[in-house]
Amino acid sequence: MPTVSDVARAAGVSRQTVSNVLNSPEIVREETRTRVAAAIAELGYRPHASARRLRTRRASTIAVRLDPFAGGISGAVLDRFLHALTERAEARGLSVMLYTAKDAADEIRQFQRLVDGAAVDAFVLASTYDGDPRTEWLIEHGQPFVTFGRPWGIADLDDPLHFWVDVDGRAGVAEAVRRLRGSGARTIGFLGWPAGSGTGDERRAGWAAGVAEGDREGGVVTEGPRAEPARLSAESEESVAAARAATRRLLAQASDLDALVAVSDTLALGALIETGGSLPVVGFDNTPVAEAIGFSSIDQRVDEVAAAALELLELVGRSEAGDPRSHRLITPEVIMRPPGPALGLVG
Amino acid sequence: MPTVSDVARAAGVSRQTVSNVLNSPEIVREETRTRVAAAIAELGYRPHASARRLRTRRASTIAVRLDPFAGGISGAVLDRFLHALTERAEARGLSVMLYTAKDAADEIRQFQRLVDGAAVDAFVLASTYDGDPRTEWLIEHGQPFVTFGRPWGIADLDDPLHFWVDVDGRAGVAEAVRRLRGSGARTIGFLGWPAGSGTGDERRAGWAAGVAEGDREGGVVTEGPRAEPARLSAESEESVAAARAATRRLLAQASDLDALVAVSDTLALGALIETGGSLPVVGFDNTPVAEAIGFSSIDQRVDEVAAAALELLELVGRSEAGDPRSHRLITPEVIMRPPGPALGLVG
DNA sequence: CTGTTAGCGCCTTCAG
DNA sequence: CTGAAGGCGCTAACAG
């Protein structure tokens, strides 16, 4: 492989000029630049990434953790995010490197390894939780990072050192309720996870807000039964079987249900199976199953998330306290699919 | 960060000795080794990956293409493979780097980029096809690679330069037929892709073999109707809707069907929906959907595939013509799940 | 704008 | 077994 020296010799300039043409072309005279470019093309020169890394002390690589495949229908969201991230990163001249970890402590050891070896110069984390030691470590060690998922500690939400992107589940679910009402549904239930998961609580709040909004519009008093959503909501673990049971409970306590919003496609599927498709159900994540079976779902728009994450990475370190640019909330998209016939569970 | 020189000074040895302790500890005297190790631990020294790469001209990194998310239920298999690969690679001191490509030509450009930049020193390709230009390029340029998927050109199957791992779909489907028969089914149909896809044809062949085997055991003459499988087989595109239509056709021409094997979980799902769960159906890929809904499926054992792929990578270049070690066929696992009630489509 | 000088941290000679 | 040089390919500083 030719090196900068070869190119320099061929173009009749110094090595440094070649380097300039590649890294700061604007400071090189037009004529010289084209001559060098010609030599580069002719020799088929390609910069040697390792050498550049050693010199610049930057890897132009971001690390992403790949969990040991949790399974479940919704596990695929992170994979989709990864696809999107890889594509966007490439466009910015960044590479994506993967690592795995058993737990947070193990992951921190991986941080050490990757940082010390200068293999990587930024991290993208998913699935953050309250008091996450990983973000603490990264902040403490001055490592640039972005999380997909907001920090769930209240005080951290505006931490200018914590750059995050998240999907506004609350807005998404509220919009789904609106859409269901638009197509005639009046009593809309919710199938959620047990309280305590930040994500799930947000989505439930979105449903409650959507229902309250409908009640106001419909002239229902705030104390009325439809404005008290507890009766219309049930909790379930993330499994189809549990979702079926929860749906049964829900129908028992609210036989007037017109439609359901579920916190995940897994739960939505359970509800669909249990009801035989007689009720419109909206899931969350717009997984391949939703598409295959043909039920409505809320898409996280991982593509936007990936783009935002990379934008934020560029700001890391340059942000002031309270800078709103240190985080980004993406509004998901409600994908409505015609109910009933497409499902084929009833007929 | 401390460097080898710092460690050497602290331990009172030369830089080279430190390097030896790290790379070929057996040639260093025990006592020196422990002294150096102590210095390493005390200073918190970590080798600098970029510097090492520059010197050794090896990246210890393998590249994997991440497709722009094809969607579909079965797309997840590659993701699962990626998870497994990352884990296994890490254990061997290798990193996994991702790239994307629009088409084969684009992918070859990526090869160029990654190879010339010395960012990567081996490739793992998935979804190979007959006359794949990618493998040709890699062989021509002496780049180590393994494919997940056998080369579908007949002449290439034993090419000692083409290292591949694949899942034995034929054996898997034959075993599924056997298992269905074991639980009482006598007339077992097949729902496949249109002929021409290597993978699909193999799976169909496995079904035909399994049926013929059952006929022999049952004392049926080879010319009998059950030994002529055409009637029991239908073709469908990879979509739930198409699978439902194909299932209808199949039932029309073979109303005596006891069970079905499908070439994919998508088609299996279509068959299940169409039959309302009244027939046992075995899918392929053991996707989360199969697990969630509870139907049987054939698992590709991506973990074994990943392990085999990495083993093969170590052999690349050292293999002689006809060396059977240049490829590996993994037998998939048939996961039987109790039918009917778990599905909940009927009751 | 261009050229010169000096390493980045490591490992592979080659002598001791 | 250990130590002394040299250089992988690149770019940050400076001097012209």
Side-chain angles (χ1 to χ4, degrees):
Chain A
M1 292 302 305
T3 75
V4 272
S5 301
D6 299 324
V7 175
R9 204 173 315 116
V13 298
S14 80
R15 290 188 312 196
Q16 181 48 25
T17 304
V18 177
S19 177
N20 284 339
V21 169
L22 277 102
N23 301 303
S24 8
E26 67 281 1
I27 71 165
V28 181
R29 198 189 349 160
E30 167 90 36
E31 185 238 318
T32 320
R33 204 190 315 154
T34 53
R35 206 170 64 225
V36 172
I40 288 179
E42 192 188 352
L43 297 180
Y45 165 82
R46 311 286 250 134
H48 193 284
S50 303
R52 172 177 284 169
R53 280 183 198 184
L54 176 57
R55 193 61 181 91
T56 61
R57 318 195 68 77
R58 269 182 297 126
S60 299
T61 301
I62 61 189
V64 182
R65 167 177 169 186
L66 205 55
D67 292 303
F69 194 61
I73 288 181
S74 311
V77 174
L78 283 184
D79 288 321
R80 287 165 71 177
F81 172 64
L82 188 57
H83 287 245
L85 190 71
T86 304
E87 256 186 296
R88 299 274 184 171
E90 219 161 72
R92 288 171 178 255
L94 297 173
S95 302
V96 174
M97 170 159 290
L98 301 177
Y99 65 96
T100 57
K102 288 192 302 293
D103 51 42
D106 191 27
E107 189 160 4
I108 287 175
R109 260 189 303 275
Q110 298 277 32
F111 291 164
Q112 282 279 10
R113 181 178 68 88
L114 293 166
V115 167
D116 291 349
V120 140
D121 38 34
F123 292 86
V124 173
L125 304 185
S127 320
T128 50
Y129 48 91
D130 192 5
D132 201 325
R134 304 175 301 162
T135 52
E136 280 171 24
W137 190 95
L138 289 170
I139 290 175
E140 201 170 299
H141 289 74
Q143 287 304 314
F145 73 95
V146 178
T147 63
F148 173 9
R150 65 199 89 173
W152 292 106
I154 295 168
D156 310 326
L157 255 191
D158 294 318
D159 186 339
L161 293 177
H162 186 157
F163 284 68
W164 58 264
V165 189
D166 205 356
V167 169
D168 192 347
R170 181 192 295 240
V173 173
E175 176 63 17
V177 169
R178 235 170 265 135
R179 300 282 288 273
L180 283 169
R181 201 164 46 236
S183 53
R186 314 209 10 227
T187 312
I188 299 166
F190 185 76
L191 207 54
W193 294 319
S197 85
T199 322
D201 296 349
E202 276 288 308
R203 295 179 191 173
R204 183 187 307 273
W207 163 74
V211 166
E213 182 188 302
D215 286 349
R216 276 197 304 280
E217 284 177 10
V220 176
V221 225
T222 319
E223 283 77 20
R226 282 175 51 226
E228 164 50 78
R231 184 180 66 97
L232 305 177
S233 154
E235 295 184 353
S236 163
E237 301 284 317
E238 178 71 357
S239 88
V240 171
R244 293 187 57 188
T247 306
R248 269 195 302 279
R249 289 199 304 276
L250 195 51
L251 288 171
Q253 71 197 38
S255 56
D256 55 335
L257 274 188
D258 285 331
L260 264 175
V261 181
V263 75
S264 73
D265 275 0
T266 305
L267 299 197
L269 181 59
L272 274 171
I273 291 178
E274 190 60 30
T275 61
S278 59
L279 284 187
V281 176
V282 180
F284 207 107
D285 281 350
N286 193 27
T287 56
V289 201
E291 204 182 338
I293 295 192
F295 63 83
S296 306
S297 191
I298 301 175
D299 191 290
Q300 297 221 23
R301 302 213 295 167
V302 288
D303 216 70
E304 316 296 320
V305 176
L310 291 173
E311 277 166 31
L312 288 187
L313 271 185
E314 287 199 342
L315 292 179
V316 173
R318 287 189 256 305
S319 173
E320 302 289 315
D323 188 336
R325 292 181 310 166
S326 70
H327 56 257
R328 201 76 65 80
L329 209 48
I330 306 290
T331 304
E333 187 184 357
V334 182
I335 312 278
M336 294 301 279
R337 296 193 173 92
L343 181 64
L345 293 174
V346 217
Chain B
M1 293 301 304
T3 75
V4 272
S5 302
D6 298 325
V7 175
R9 202 174 316 115
V13 298
S14 79
R15 290 188 313 194
Q16 180 46 26
T17 305
V18 178
S19 178
N20 284 339
V21 169
L22 279 107
N23 301 305
S24 9
E26 67 280 2
I27 70 165
V28 180
R29 198 187 352 160
E30 167 90 33
E31 184 240 314
T32 319
R33 204 190 315 155
T34 51
R35 205 172 62 226
V36 172
I40 288 178
E42 191 189 351
L43 297 181
Y45 165 82
R46 311 284 251 136
H48 193 284
S50 303
R52 172 178 282 168
R53 281 183 197 185
L54 176 58
R55 193 61 181 88
T56 61
R57 319 195 66 78
R58 268 183 298 125
S60 298
T61 301
I62 60 188
V64 182
R65 168 178 167 185
L66 205 55
D67 292 303
F69 195 62
I73 287 181
S74 311
V77 174
L78 283 183
D79 288 320
R80 286 166 72 177
F81 172 64
L82 188 57
H83 287 245
L85 191 71
T86 304
E87 256 186 296
R88 300 272 182 172
E90 219 160 72
R92 288 171 178 256
L94 297 173
S95 302
V96 175
M97 171 159 290
L98 301 176
Y99 66 95
T100 57
K102 287 192 302 295
D103 50 41
D106 192 27
E107 189 160 5
I108 288 176
R109 260 189 302 275
Q110 298 277 31
F111 291 164
Q112 282 281 11
R113 181 178 67 88
L114 294 167
V115 167
D116 293 349
V120 139
D121 38 34
F123 293 86
V124 173
L125 304 185
S127 320
T128 51
Y129 50 90
D130 192 6
D132 200 324
R134 303 175 301 164
T135 53
E136 280 171 23
W137 190 95
L138 289 169
I139 289 176
E140 201 171 299
H141 290 74
Q143 286 305 313
F145 72 95
V146 179
T147 63
F148 173 9
R150 65 199 89 173
W152 292 105
I154 295 168
D156 309 326
L157 256 191
D158 293 318
D159 186 339
L161 293 178
H162 186 157
F163 284 68
W164 57 264
V165 189
D166 205 356
V167 170
D168 193 347
R170 182 191 295 240
V173 173
E175 175 65 16
V177 170
R178 235 170 265 136
R179 300 283 287 273
L180 283 170
R181 201 164 46 236
S183 54
R186 314 210 11 227
T187 311
I188 299 164
F190 185 76
L191 207 53
W193 294 320
S197 86
T199 321
D201 296 350
E202 276 288 307
R203 294 179 192 173
R204 182 188 306 274
W207 162 74
V211 166
E213 182 186 303
D215 286 349
R216 275 197 307 280
E217 284 175 9
V220 175
V221 226
T222 319
E223 284 76 22
R226 280 174 54 226
E228 164 49 77
R231 186 180 63 97
L232 305 178
S233 153
E235 295 183 353
S236 162
E237 302 283 318
E238 177 72 356
S239 88
V240 171
R244 293 187 57 188
T247 305
R248 268 197 302 279
R249 288 198 305 275
L250 195 51
L251 289 172
Q253 71 196 40
S255 56
D256 55 335
L257 273 188
D258 285 332
L260 264 175
V261 182
V263 74
S264 74
D265 275 0
T266 305
L267 299 197
L269 181 59
L272 274 171
I273 290 178
E274 189 60 30
T275 62
S278 58
L279 284 186
V281 177
V282 181
F284 206 107
D285 281 349
N286 193 27
T287 55
V289 201
E291 204 182 338
I293 295 193
F295 63 84
S296 305
S297 191
I298 300 175
D299 191 290
Q300 298 223 23
R301 303 212 294 165
V302 288
D303 217 69
E304 316 295 319
V305 175
L310 290 173
E311 278 165 29
L312 288 187
L313 270 185
E314 287 198 341
L315 293 179
V316 174
R318 287 188 256 306
S319 172
E320 303 288 315
D323 188 336
R325 293 181 308 167
S326 69
H327 54 256
R328 202 75 65 80
L329 209 48
I330 306 291
T331 304
E333 187 184 357
V334 181
I335 312 278
M336 294 301 280
R337 297 195 171 91
L343 181 63
L345 293 175
V346 217

